[in-house]
Amino acid sequence: MAAVAFVGLGVMGGPMAGHLARAGHTVTVYNRTTPKAVAWVDANGGQPAASPRLAAEGADAVFLCVGRDDDVRSVVLGPDGVLAAMRRGSVLVDHTTASADLARELATTCHAHGVGFVDAPVSGGQAGAVNGALTVMCGGAQDHFDVVAPIIDAYAKACTLMGPAGSGQLTKMVNQLAIAGIVQGLSEAMHFAARAGLDVDQVIDVIGKGAAQSWQLDNRGRTMWRGEFDFGFAAEWMRKDLEICLDEARRNGAQLPLAALVDQLYAQVIARGGARWDTSSLIHLLDNP
Amino acid sequence: MAAVAFVGLGVMGGPMAGHLARAGHTVTVYNRTTPKAVAWVDANGGQPAASPRLAAEGADAVFLCVGRDDDVRSVVLGPDGVLAAMRRGSVLVDHTTASADLARELATTCHAHGVGFVDAPVSGGQAGAVNGALTVMCGGAQDHFDVVAPIIDAYAKACTLMGPAGSGQLTKMVNQLAIAGIVQGLSEAMHFAARAGLDVDQVIDVIGKGAAQSWQLDNRGRTMWRGEFDFGFAAEWMRKDLEICLDEARRNGAQLPLAALVDQLYAQVIARGGARWDTSSLIHLLDNP
């Protein structure tokens, strides 16, 4: 069992850190809003820390799950950041979906401190975090991965090293690009089905057996055409992820016409008050023009 | 066992009619190009006819699987069309993917002749036709459906009545709209993955476990990023189907911004000589700008 720190106890990080505590690791937590850290300790044991730096003191591995690139920079590189306290030979794992450039930058900085770094964005959503069934996409060196993979197993159904630092983030971007197309296509399909007067539930049963099948159809088809969006992965986070994809594509030269369109459509969803609505809320724009 | 006619022995109709013969039905076939009908009879038994009308003489049910609305009109309503020969109480089944308007028109015309009509487009592709595992989406009256569903079972894994005449076509349109989004999203995702220097096969394994999973990812992900398109469902047929969707949407008021974009992208694929390439060939435009 390891001494670990976990920074960021949101809808993802909270249950992930909980799995670490239940697996027998000694867990020290930090959260920007203190009451959330106190509530987490009440529920899971472990101990709260007053800063990321204090949380990381003496840890074998430090895990982050925060919001954006700047949040990661702050909790890692700031005066009270984890890197100021991490010992040589320990490993920093960033579960935040962030840019590949940030991952490469942090890997270099950590290396200079004798600290390992693994970028490790996840997919599987809140349900995957709660059930310990996340897919974890990692970038980094094999020896650093080998240290943290057995710990990550507490909340992962799959944890894969995809290549050097940044490769986890790039893989997550591929995932989000695929989802962007599926969700807009499915939105148009469900919107059309309702307009055509079909029994949409029956349509979902039938088309889900063939080449139109997708996880999104199976798990979001029924809710989206009923306009139920108060759950799942928020439109504002999906938009952040698409921004990362589009930024990276400016560098690697990939053409992403559909992702660029869907990014703008999420801007509309958010402008209508749907920042916290599930990713499937793209259909709202079609049903309510 | 029934006496049936089958008009249109293409990559779909040929194997479908073959399943009818193997199920023990008496099958009379017609194909626009005679050698194909002769070859089919050599392989499957049954007998060829010199016109759709002659094929339909004495049949309990007549099946069509041709190209476009005008082809259907010709083989049904023309002077040598099936309707001139179909007896009262027999049922016409159209497996062509065609407009819902045509289905409604044919249902009315057939009704005036005392003939039943079921629009019954399929999904599952050539492999589904060969293996007798098609999904069949039907529109029509329950009593007509009940006559033909046991016959269709010879090549279907599912055969469902979706509503009145036209409902089969509308359901197929929903299917194609969902696929259009999935394929473009997946094209951008695979294109981005290769540009990012990732091991694309490994990426497919990893993202296929979560919310980005789709039949298209599982069955086309690996071939598409390698640029293999000489199989599957042709771009020119997908474009025909999207035209039907976009036409119908002008009537029912559905908004289909992504389908309209993908329709134009298929126009580009076709302009580059890819009319017969698989639907997944959208990635060719990104990889070869």
Side-chain angles (χ1 to χ4, degrees):
Chain A
M1 295 302 108
V4 303
F6 207 107
V7 174
L9 301 171
V11 294
M12 300 297 291
M16 289 160 77
H19 285 290
L20 294 181
R22 279 191 292 286
H25 300 295
T26 304
V27 186
T28 305
V29 296
Y30 171 79
N31 196 72
R32 193 166 45 186
T33 55
T34 306
K36 206 177 271 187
V38 171
W40 187 91
V41 169
D42 285 348
N44 297 279
Q47 48 192 336
S51 73
R53 178 179 182 154
L54 290 169
E57 291 278 1
D60 302 307
V62 174
F63 298 84
L64 313 176
C65 195
V66 297
R68 299 166 188 269
D69 278 28
D70 285 349
D71 301 316
V72 176
R73 274 200 185 83
S74 166
V75 300
V76 175
L77 305 173
D80 282 322
V82 296
L83 197 54
M86 289 182 73
R87 63 168 178 76
R88 294 184 72 83
S90 65
V91 180
L92 175 61
V93 177
D94 185 13
H95 285 308
T96 312
T97 295
S99 72
D101 268 2
L102 176 66
R104 294 180 201 111
E105 173 195 332
L106 290 181
T108 302
T109 307
C110 284
H111 182 73
H113 284 72
V115 168
F117 177 80
V118 175
D119 53 298
V122 302
S123 79
Q126 190 173 357
V130 170
N131 300 324
L134 293 169
T135 297
V136 187
M137 297 157 267
C138 298
Q142 184 74 50
D143 55 339
H144 301 147
F145 173 81
D146 290 342
V147 168
V148 294
I151 304 175
I152 292 173
D153 275 349
Y155 44 78
K157 69 174 175 187
C159 178
T160 311
L161 183 62
M162 305 303 299
S167 301
Q169 297 299 350
L170 292 168
T171 302
K172 177 70 184 281
M173 292 176 212
V174 176
N175 190 74
Q176 301 305 71
L177 290 170
I179 289 175
I182 293 171
V183 173
Q184 178 61 18
L186 192 54
S187 293
E188 295 187 15
M190 298 292 102
H191 165 71
F192 179 96
R195 283 267 172 177
L198 293 167
D199 176 334
V200 184
D201 282 326
Q202 190 182 26
V203 170
I204 291 170
D205 285 340
V206 169
I207 72 172
K209 294 188 174 76
Q213 181 278 334
S214 66
W215 185 97
Q216 296 288 337
L217 175 66
D218 297 342
N219 291 277
R220 296 288 184 270
R222 286 180 166 73
T223 47
M224 68 196 293
W225 82 269
R226 295 197 188 104
E228 299 169 9
F229 310 123
D230 55 342
F231 64 96
F233 188 68
E236 65 181 340
W237 292 112
M238 187 62 176
R239 190 158 196 234
K240 180 206 74 167
D241 291 359
L242 289 173
E243 180 187 357
I244 291 171
C245 294
L246 293 163
D247 279 351
E248 183 67 28
R250 284 186 198 278
R251 285 185 283 273
N252 70 25
Q255 299 182 74
L256 305 176
L258 173 52
L261 171 65
V262 170
D263 175 56
Q264 293 301 317
L265 295 174
Y266 279 118
Q268 288 185 43
V269 169
I270 293 166
R272 292 186 186 194
R276 304 300 304 168
W277 292 350
D278 181 62
T279 311
S280 56
S281 56
L282 288 174
I283 195 173
H284 178 85
L285 303 177
L286 305 171
D287 287 343
N288 304 277
Chain B
M1 293 303 108
V4 303
F6 208 106
V7 174
L9 300 171
V11 294
M12 299 298 290
M16 290 161 77
H19 284 290
L20 294 181
R22 278 192 293 284
H25 300 296
T26 303
V27 186
T28 305
V29 296
Y30 171 81
N31 196 72
R32 193 166 46 185
T33 55
T34 306
K36 207 177 271 186
V38 172
W40 186 92
V41 169
D42 284 348
N44 297 279
Q47 46 192 335
S51 72
R53 178 179 182 155
L54 290 169
E57 290 280 0
D60 302 309
V62 174
F63 298 83
L64 312 176
C65 195
V66 296
R68 298 167 188 270
D69 279 27
D70 286 348
D71 302 315
V72 177
R73 274 200 185 85
S74 165
V75 299
V76 175
L77 305 173
D80 282 322
V82 296
L83 198 54
M86 288 183 73
R87 64 169 177 74
R88 296 184 72 82
S90 64
V91 180
L92 175 60
V93 177
D94 185 13
H95 285 307
T96 313
T97 295
S99 72
D101 269 3
L102 175 65
R104 293 180 201 111
E105 173 195 332
L106 290 181
T108 301
T109 307
C110 285
H111 183 73
H113 285 71
V115 169
F117 178 80
V118 176
D119 54 296
V122 303
S123 79
Q126 191 174 355
V130 170
N131 300 325
L134 294 169
T135 297
V136 187
M137 298 156 266
C138 299
Q142 185 74 50
D143 54 340
H144 301 146
F145 174 80
D146 291 342
V147 169
V148 295
I151 304 174
I152 292 172
D153 275 348
Y155 43 79
K157 69 175 176 187
C159 178
T160 311
L161 183 62
M162 305 303 299
S167 301
Q169 298 298 351
L170 292 167
T171 302
K172 178 69 184 282
M173 293 176 211
V174 176
N175 190 74
Q176 301 305 72
L177 291 170
I179 289 175
I182 292 172
V183 173
Q184 179 61 18
L186 192 54
S187 293
E188 296 187 13
M190 297 294 101
H191 165 72
F192 179 97
R195 282 268 172 176
L198 293 168
D199 176 334
V200 184
D201 283 324
Q202 190 182 27
V203 170
I204 291 170
D205 285 340
V206 169
I207 73 172
K209 293 188 173 76
Q213 182 278 332
S214 67
W215 184 98
Q216 298 288 337
L217 176 66
D218 296 342
N219 291 278
R220 295 289 183 271
R222 286 181 166 72
T223 48
M224 69 197 293
W225 83 269
R226 294 195 190 107
E228 299 170 7
F229 310 124
D230 55 345
F231 64 94
F233 188 68
E236 66 182 340
W237 293 112
M238 187 61 176
R239 190 158 196 233
K240 180 205 75 168
D241 291 359
L242 288 173
E243 180 186 357
I244 291 171
C245 295
L246 292 164
D247 280 351
E248 182 68 29
R250 284 185 198 278
R251 285 185 283 273
N252 71 23
Q255 299 181 74
L256 305 176
L258 172 53
L261 171 65
V262 171
D263 175 56
Q264 294 301 316
L265 295 175
Y266 280 119
Q268 287 185 43
V269 169
I270 293 165
R272 292 186 186 194
R276 306 299 304 168
W277 292 350
D278 182 61
T279 312
S280 56
S281 55
L282 288 175
I283 195 174
H284 177 85
L285 303 177
L286 305 171
D287 286 344
N288 303 278

